[in-house]
Amino acid sequence: MILVGAVADIPVGESVRVQGSVAIAVFNADGTFYAIDDTCTHQDASLSDGWLEDCAVECPLHAACFDLRTGKPSGPPARKPVRTHEVVIVDGQVFVSETVEVGADAGADVAGAVGEGVR
């Protein structure tokens, strides 16, 4: 498990980048936390620098959008999904667990996109 930080340190609508086997973006979407690979599959851009709206992030480079729950793009220019990762909240701390190996099909582990609401 990778420690991301305290829930209070990641405000609603914000994201942080942490390092696993690859860079991972962790988003607070209206109190629910999601984690995906940080690099856009269209071109090398940081998704944690993108724009969050509901449960989707828009890449800052060419506006590809990815669903935070599944990692799937909503349409071009990205065609390949990003991997999703399990998010766990323990005692007010946010942790990420990489749920699939690097190079695995991101769409194969949709159940890995676990967001735990914090109220």
Side-chain angles (χ1 to χ4, degrees), residues 3-31:
L3 174 62
V4 178
V7 168
D9 293 338
I10 310 168
V12 170
E14 297 295 320
S15 63
V16 295
R17 180 180 172 155
V18 296
Q19 191 63 44
S21 60
V22 298
I24 296 172
V26 181
F27 297 89
N28 181 343
D30 292 325

Side-chain angles (χ1 to χ4, degrees), residues 6 17 20 30-31 35 37 42-43 49 74 76 81 95 100 109 116 119:
R17 180 180 172 155
D30 292 325
D37 280 354
H42 172 246
Q43 282 194 327
D49 291 335
S74 62
F95 294 88
V100 293
D109 189 14
E116 182 175 319
R119 307 257 184 263

Side-chain angles (χ1 to χ4, degrees), residues 50-74:
W51 296 275
L52 181 63
E53 185 172 331
D54 298 322
C55 276
V57 62
E58 181 180 317
C59 177
L61 193 56
H62 293 115
C65 288
F66 295 90
D67 188 309
L68 298 177
R69 298 165 293 199
T70 65
K72 292 182 180 180
S74 62

Side-chain angles (χ1 to χ4, degrees), residues 25-115:
V26 181
F27 297 89
N28 181 343
D30 292 325
T32 301
F33 289 84
Y34 298 94
I36 60 174
D37 280 354
D38 186 50
T39 304
C40 178
T41 58
H42 172 246
Q43 282 194 327
D44 292 337
S46 174
L47 294 174
S48 61
D49 291 335
W51 296 275
L52 181 63
E53 185 172 331
D54 298 322
C55 276
V57 62
E58 181 180 317
C59 177
L61 193 56
H62 293 115
C65 288
F66 295 90
D67 188 309
L68 298 177
R69 298 165 293 199
T70 65
K72 292 182 180 180
S74 62
R79 298 191 188 285
K80 182 179 175 187
V82 292
R83 293 184 312 149
T84 59
H85 306 283
E86 182 179 13
V87 177
V88 179
I89 310 294
V90 178
D91 296 328
Q93 298 293 312
V94 180
F95 294 88
V96 171
S97 176
E98 291 186 75
T99 56
V100 293
E101 296 176 9
V102 173
D105 178 19
D109 189 14
V110 173
V114 176

